[in-house]
Amino acid sequence: MDAEKHSSQTALFAAAARAAHPLVDNRPHLLSDEVAQRLCRTASPSPLDYQLSQPGSPVLAAARLASCTRARFAEAVVSETQADQVLLLGAGLDTVANRRPAAPPVSVWAADRPDVLSWRSRLFHEAGLNDRARCVPADLAAGLDLEDLEAAGMDLRRPVLALWLGVSMYLTPERCRDFIGELAALPAGSRVVVDYHLSPEHRDEAGRAYAQAVAAMAGHAGEPWQCSTAPGTVAGWFVGHGWRVELDVDEAAATPEGFFDRQEHLSPMRLVRLLHAVR
Ligand SMILES: C[S@@+](CC[C@H](N)C(=O)[O-])C[C@H]1O[C@@H](n2cnc3c(N)ncnc32)[C@H](O)[C@@H]1O
């Protein structure tokens, strides 16, 4: 069996970006992900090696910024809302379940394609780690069955925080809009945190260059980018399905004040937006 065929190269690329950030960028760090470092070290060659040897590469630096900013933004919502049920949609190698302290307890479910979840489990095993997220096989292009979540132990009488990170761009715009409607079946008080891409005319030069490079790589790896929109479009989809949008900002606006002044390799780009909605 060709294990690579059953993996997600974009998930590994994102994990390597989070793993490398505290090792190659200046303080203050957006986050520190030692679990991702351990997972990436099980792969050979590992994209972490490229990150460590070429931290100034614009594509690798922009990947660190995007992967770490969305994780930091999402984890701030976990903390601020004291969410105790977190659902990772397109989990890939997300490590939040293993990085959060045991108290207060947070239960985490990882939804992704079945083959990607098997690969995820194998990497955790090879890294000597116990994956604290419960796996829920799902094809988000077809839908998410809430009964599968319940069968995996989620309490659907209480709010759920869904972290839909680094995934919307792999679905079609119609599918993203419909999926937002399907998520509205989650209990009242549930939240969604999602990142999405601006369409080409709304990007700056750095955003255009990064999108061109990564879209080619992702497409080559069988995970083509499909969804990008004007600012406000995704918020409109949420509102249309009964959600209230709490925040919808450019990626750079989600970094700490003065963050870029201290960075050698990282600079703002206009491509990614981060949105937090509640219902
Ligand atoms: C770039 S990775 C992001 C992983 C993780 N959420 C993160 O932020 O690091 C994209 C993930 O979305 C998953 N994905 C893409 N399309 C999917 C689909 N139709 N159903 C389930 N998962 C999907 C991929 O398998 C992959 O794990």
Side-chain angles (χ1 to χ4, degrees):
M1 185 172 68
D2 182 355
E4 289 307 303
K5 275 191 200 151
H6 302 277
S7 64
S8 165
Q9 290 307 297
T10 63
L12 189 57
F13 189 65
R18 294 194 312 273
H21 173 56
L23 303 177
V24 301
D25 293 315
N26 296 336
R27 289 175 190 277
H29 295 133
L30 297 167
L31 89 170
S32 181
D33 192 342
E34 286 166 18
V35 179
Q37 289 174 14
R38 287 179 64 176
L39 293 175
C40 289
R41 290 200 167 107
T42 65
S44 177
S46 166
L48 179 56
D49 300 336
Y50 301 117
Q51 281 281 3
L52 299 183
S53 63
Q54 304 170 54
S57 149
V59 172
L60 298 182
R64 294 198 298 281
L65 179 65
S67 301
C68 296
T69 306
R70 69 181 183 232
R72 175 191 169 94
F73 181 84
E75 289 172 36
V77 176
V78 177
S79 300
E80 283 159 17
T81 62
Q82 300 193 333
D84 65 353
Q85 298 198 102
V86 173
L87 169 61
L88 307 173
L89 295 167
L93 297 178
D94 190 296
T95 57
V96 67
N98 281 61
R99 284 186 291 105
R100 288 194 75 81
V106 180
S107 301
V108 180
W109 288 263
D112 208 307
R113 294 193 173 102
D115 49 351
V116 172
L117 290 177
S118 304
W119 167 74
R120 172 187 167 99
S121 298
R122 181 167 59 77
L123 289 198
F124 270 81
H125 178 74
E126 286 173 7
L129 293 161
N130 175 27
D131 186 0
R132 296 207 191 122
R134 297 176 224 179
C135 289
V136 182
D139 177 2
L140 303 180
L144 180 69
D145 193 338
L146 296 191
E147 284 182 9
D148 290 345
L149 297 174
E150 221 167 8
M154 187 178 280
D155 181 355
L156 289 177
R157 291 164 305 180
R158 294 191 301 110
V160 174
L161 169 55
L163 306 183
W164 182 19
L165 301 177
V167 188
S168 68
M169 52 295 293
Y170 298 102
L171 305 176
T172 64
E174 298 71 30
R175 184 63 205 129
C176 285
R177 190 195 54 216
D178 292 350
F179 189 49
I180 289 165
E182 291 162 23
L183 289 175
L186 287 171
S190 291
R191 292 168 187 271
V192 175
V193 174
V194 61
D195 59 333
Y196 64 92
H197 284 173
L198 291 171
S199 44
E201 65 275 22
H202 298 287
R203 299 171 186 168
D204 63 8
E205 194 43 49
R208 272 193 288 274
Y210 177 68
Q212 210 171 7
V214 178
M217 185 205 90
H220 185 70
E223 299 175 89
W225 279 358
Q226 305 190 67
C227 183
S228 64
T229 72
T233 300
V234 176
W237 293 342
F238 273 94
V239 171
H241 285 295
W243 296 85
R244 186 178 78 242
V245 174
E246 299 263 78
L247 204 59
D248 180 15
V249 292
D250 277 347
E251 172 184 80
T255 59
E257 185 79 31
F259 173 74
F260 292 106
D261 300 341
R262 303 193 190 155
Q263 297 300 324
E264 182 186 349
H265 304 303
L266 307 181
S267 46
M269 66 173 177
R270 191 147 202 261
L271 169 66
V272 182
R273 298 269 299 178
L274 294 159
L275 184 149
H276 168 199
V278 62
R279 66 166 294 278

